[in-house]
Amino acid sequence: MSKNIVITIGREFGSGGREIGQKVAQALDIGFFDKNLIDIAAKKSGMDSSLLYQADEKASNPFFSAYLPSGSEYGTINDRLFWTQSSIIKDLAEKQSCVIVGRCADYVLADYENCLHVFVYAPLEDRIERIMERYLIDTPHAAKKEIHREDKVRKSYYQYYTDLKWGISAGKHLSIDSSFLGIDKTVDLILDIIQKKWNIN
Amino acid sequence: MSKNIVITIGREFGSGGREIGQKVAQALDIGFFDKNLIDIAAKKSGMDSSLLYQADEKASNPFFSAYLPSGSEYGTINDRLFWTQSSIIKDLAEKQSCVIVGRCADYVLADYENCLHVFVYAPLEDRIERIMERYLIDTPHAAKKEIHREDKVRKSYYQYYTDLKWGISAGKHLSIDSSFLGIDKTVDLILDIIQKKWNIN
């Protein structure tokens, strides 16, 4: 690949966005980053990774978020994680082609060229089915509750750090219902777009 | 083509959504419907087409909308046009493959199979450029004003008749920023999706 391209993927819980991102990265033989950004952030910041995992993709909350020792530059673990991850994401974009899932990466890289910003969603019934299978949840009702809870967390995280609305087209190049073509053909479609844009495949 | 497929296109003003729809229809050699639905509605309803043109894609307004003669089944020209167009859109979907731009067609056909519901948008600066060229508007400021006005009209029309939010992913299979690939490659992308879904091209 002659130049770096970065594909960022926002996603509804249970939409298959992460799997799509992984398969796009595999097909292009490029890096894939999602939760593993936390370990990189832990190394970079010297903070405890178990604390960072708790704060992952969650908005700061003045009442419940863990505060850093006084004298620290940042208020909460969540803020510190967000800013550390943002700086790692920018570094990655300078150095390599990759797929980044979540972490407001579309917002962090809004001024970067050679990015494709995607949002993946799906009808609730498809997400329920996926979540039940993936997390071995017994009932559709429990899966639905988990979906609403997780979407709410992601939404408030995204809106807290970006001041943009989560899940709408602003800042995205493409939003796609993964149930329309299914996971593998959606992956192919994203590869088509990359090929059309940058002649890369 | 062995079965009917219908592509509906919602669009921000100046995003090129209509041109994309036209080119998709041409490529597939299928019908294309947008404002011409008004003439069909005029014929079907026996109403004056010049009145219908004024009401096109506008929400009913109890103060300013033209009222039909008392005793009529519907309140305003706008409502009558919406319901007549909706019935025409359903007829079309039963009888032929086609592209339909605007007119809440995604909502009207929400229960129909073999539909691809698309929303086309673009960054404001690209829309300003397009609108200036297309409508021979002199200044970016005037174009921007026109874009905001027209988007507002479309938004209130869509939300009035569908109770859904305009421009977001709900009810759409795909939302795309037409400036990312440009008009012609966006057309190709939509043709790719149709091919992947229905093996049609």
Side-chain angles (χ1 to χ4, degrees):
Chain A
M1 221 176 273
S2 60
K3 53 189 164 191
N4 290 345
I5 62 154
V6 179
I7 299 115
T8 71
I9 299 191
R11 72 290 183 224
E12 284 184 346
F13 188 57
S15 66
R18 186 178 179 276
E19 185 181 346
I20 289 169
Q22 262 179 325
K23 289 186 168 175
V24 167
Q26 271 163 16
L28 295 173
D29 194 20
I30 61 178
F32 175 77
F33 299 95
D34 67 335
K35 268 200 193 309
N36 52 358
L37 280 170
I38 299 175
D39 299 316
I40 308 175
K43 222 179 225 169
K44 184 166 176 164
S45 66
M47 293 172 69
D48 180 349
S49 69
S50 66
L51 266 181
L52 294 185
Y53 270 96
Q54 282 172 39
D56 185 38
E57 288 205 293
K58 290 187 187 71
S60 241
N61 181 316
F63 299 107
F64 301 111
S65 298
Y67 272 80
L68 293 166
S70 65
S72 163
E73 201 182 336
Y74 302 91
T76 68
I77 297 272
N78 309 54
D79 292 343
R80 178 75 175 269
L81 177 60
F82 178 77
W83 294 112
T84 309
Q85 277 187 341
S86 297
S87 122
I88 295 166
I89 287 169
K90 286 178 186 174
D91 274 1
L92 287 172
E94 297 287 353
K95 288 182 193 145
Q96 61 173 281
S97 291
C98 57
V99 173
I100 304 171
V101 174
R103 281 84 205 162
C104 308
D106 60 319
Y107 174 78
V108 173
L109 298 178
D111 296 331
Y112 281 59
E113 285 188 4
N114 298 335
C115 289
L116 169 62
H117 302 306
V118 179
F119 188 79
V120 180
Y121 57 96
L124 187 59
E125 56 270 34
D126 295 76
R127 296 161 64 200
I128 288 174
E129 203 176 303
R130 188 177 174 87
I131 288 304
M132 286 177 71
E133 203 182 295
R134 198 173 184 91
Y135 298 99
L136 305 174
I137 295 176
D138 285 337
T139 66
H141 177 74
K144 195 173 159 182
K145 239 173 117 178
E146 189 54 23
I147 284 170
H148 284 313
R149 197 197 55 74
E150 182 65 30
D151 276 357
K152 218 167 155 180
V153 172
R154 287 185 186 174
K155 186 176 171 176
S156 80
Y157 168 74
Y158 189 83
Q159 297 185 175
Y160 180 84
Y161 286 109
T162 70
D163 234 359
L164 295 171
K165 292 235 176 276
W166 183 72
I168 65 158
S169 45
K172 304 286 189 296
H173 299 116
L174 180 85
S175 299
I176 190 157
D177 173 352
S178 59
S179 76
F180 187 69
L181 291 177
I183 300 293
D184 289 340
K185 286 185 180 173
T186 302
V187 171
D188 290 346
L189 189 79
I190 292 173
L191 296 173
D192 279 0
I193 294 173
I194 292 167
Q195 206 280 330
K196 281 183 170 64
K197 179 76 175 178
W198 293 291
N199 284 316
I200 288 164
N201 59 4
Chain B
M1 223 177 274
S2 60
K3 52 188 164 191
N4 290 346
I5 62 152
V6 178
I7 300 115
T8 71
I9 298 191
R11 72 289 182 224
E12 284 184 346
F13 188 57
S15 67
R18 185 178 181 276
E19 185 180 346
I20 289 169
Q22 262 179 324
K23 289 185 168 174
V24 167
Q26 272 164 16
L28 295 173
D29 195 20
I30 61 178
F32 174 76
F33 299 95
D34 68 333
K35 266 202 193 307
N36 53 357
L37 280 171
I38 300 175
D39 300 315
I40 308 175
K43 224 179 220 169
K44 185 167 174 166
S45 66
M47 292 171 72
D48 180 348
S49 68
S50 66
L51 266 181
L52 294 185
Y53 270 95
Q54 284 172 38
D56 184 39
E57 287 204 293
K58 290 187 187 71
S60 242
N61 181 316
F63 299 108
F64 300 112
S65 298
Y67 272 79
L68 293 165
S70 65
S72 161
E73 200 182 335
Y74 300 92
T76 67
I77 297 271
N78 308 54
D79 291 343
R80 178 74 176 269
L81 177 60
F82 177 77
W83 294 112
T84 309
Q85 277 186 341
S86 297
S87 122
I88 294 166
I89 286 169
K90 287 177 183 172
D91 274 1
L92 287 172
E94 297 286 353
K95 289 182 192 146
Q96 59 173 281
S97 291
C98 57
V99 173
I100 303 172
V101 174
R103 282 85 206 159
C104 308
D106 59 320
Y107 174 79
V108 173
L109 298 178
D111 296 330
Y112 282 58
E113 286 187 2
N114 298 333
C115 289
L116 169 62
H117 301 307
V118 179
F119 188 78
V120 180
Y121 57 95
L124 187 59
E125 56 270 35
D126 295 76
R127 296 160 66 201
I128 288 174
E129 202 176 302
R130 189 176 172 87
I131 288 306
M132 286 178 72
E133 201 182 297
R134 199 174 184 89
Y135 297 100
L136 304 174
I137 294 176
D138 286 337
T139 67
H141 178 75
K144 194 172 160 183
K145 239 173 119 176
E146 189 55 23
I147 285 170
H148 284 314
R149 196 197 56 74
E150 182 66 30
D151 275 356
K152 216 165 157 180
V153 171
R154 286 185 187 173
K155 185 176 174 178
S156 79
Y157 168 75
Y158 189 83
Q159 297 187 175
Y160 181 85
Y161 286 109
T162 69
D163 236 358
L164 295 171
K165 292 238 177 272
W166 182 72
I168 65 156
S169 45
K172 304 287 188 296
H173 299 116
L174 180 85
S175 298
I176 189 158
D177 173 351
S178 59
S179 76
F180 187 70
L181 292 177
I183 300 294
D184 289 340
K185 286 186 181 173
T186 302
V187 170
D188 289 347
L189 188 79
I190 292 174
L191 296 173
D192 279 359
I193 294 173
I194 293 167
Q195 207 279 329
K196 282 184 169 61
K197 179 76 176 179
W198 293 292
N199 284 314
I200 287 163
N201 59 5

